[in-house]
Amino acid sequence: FRDAVASFNNSSAEIADHLDKLNCERQSDIIRIQKLMVNDESLCPEIEARIKKGISAEFAVSEICDKYIEIFASLDNPTVSERSSDINDVKRRLLGALLGMKDSSIRGVDTGTVLAAKEFSASMLSEIVPGSVSGIVAEQGGKNSHAAILARSMSLPAVFNIPRLMERIHDGEIIFIDGNTGEVVLGSPESIEDEAIPK
């Protein structure tokens, strides 16, 4: 687990430095805050305490992170509740380090690509090469999420909180998005009215 934390810390430093170079200081601060969250006096000790009781590191990370995700998500303040996505990102990255998994890179996507996912994190979007991605759409998240903040700083049209998005789209499909109105349209240029997904 401590090796995974060291790997998490190293990758966090690399991501933050990359964001600094893109003049996304606010977003690099987000990544540095995630690093502080992992190394603070609650998260790591709680996880290590579970490991010392004989629970696997992977299960301990999931259990403790899920506890904090639930706490944040249950809060009435939308800005604070959306911080649960940061804990989820911490969980995903720690589990990836524990399991020796590498994130799939989005640095090589074709120009004009619209990225779609169940949820985006700031660390995922930090991989975007300026000019390659035309927009992002996601099932979860909101205008106060760190992914949304990063998308705005990169001038990327983005629409979040689209129910059943991943069931309704396919690789290679043409997607039109309007970040101002929150409208997403699936179809071809000839039939832009094919299917409108409401905000």
Side-chain angles (χ1 to χ4, degrees):
F1 170 69
R2 288 177 179 170
D3 286 344
V5 169
S7 175
F8 176 94
N9 289 339
N10 289 336
S11 68
S12 294
E14 290 175 4
I15 293 169
D17 288 345
H18 174 66
L19 287 168
D20 282 338
K21 290 174 183 174
L22 295 175
N23 296 315
C24 297
E25 288 83 5
R26 185 175 178 183
Q27 288 65 47
S28 64
D29 287 343
I30 291 167
I31 300 299
R32 292 187 174 99
I33 288 169
Q34 288 185 1
K35 183 179 174 182
L36 288 174
M37 288 166 56
V38 169
N39 294 278
D40 74 5
E41 295 181 1
S42 56
L43 199 65
C44 264
E46 284 190 56
I47 292 170
E48 290 192 0
R50 299 296 287 152
I51 293 170
K52 286 175 183 176
K53 289 184 178 180
I55 291 174
S56 72
E58 293 84 359
F59 188 84
V61 166
S62 292
E63 182 184 50
I64 299 304
C65 287
D66 285 346
K67 179 181 88 169
Y68 284 102
I69 289 169
E70 188 175 339
I71 289 170
F72 277 104
S74 67
L75 298 175
D76 288 335
N77 185 323
T79 302
V80 177
S81 67
E82 286 182 357
R83 297 293 84 86
S84 63
S85 64
D86 294 318
I87 304 290
N88 196 42
D89 193 28
V90 165
K91 171 186 167 183
R92 179 187 63 81
R93 293 175 57 214
L94 275 177
L95 287 175
L98 281 167
L99 298 169
M101 298 169 61
K102 291 186 177 180
D103 283 342
S104 56
S105 176
I106 58 176
R107 292 189 183 186
V109 299
D110 295 335
T111 300
T113 296
V114 172
L115 298 176
K118 194 168 186 72
E119 182 179 27
F120 284 106
S121 66
S123 65
M124 289 177 189
L125 295 186
S126 71
E127 291 267 316
I128 292 176
V129 175
S132 64
V133 173
S134 293
I136 61 174
V137 288
E139 281 190 16
Q140 299 175 10
K143 64 180 181 180
N144 296 314
S145 68
H146 287 160
I149 293 168
L150 181 53
R152 284 195 294 273
S153 73
M154 300 174 80
S155 300
L156 280 177
V159 180
F160 296 89
N161 199 27
I162 304 172
R164 299 185 300 106
L165 171 70
M166 300 311 289
E167 297 174 19
R168 300 159 73 182
I169 63 172
H170 309 282
D171 269 351
E173 186 166 17
I174 294 173
I175 305 176
F176 298 87
I177 65 174
D178 188 326
N180 293 318
T181 65
E183 185 179 31
V184 177
V185 177
L186 307 181
S188 62
E190 295 77 22
S191 55
I192 193 169
E193 300 298 331
D194 279 359
E195 180 187 354
I197 298 178
K199 185 176 179 182

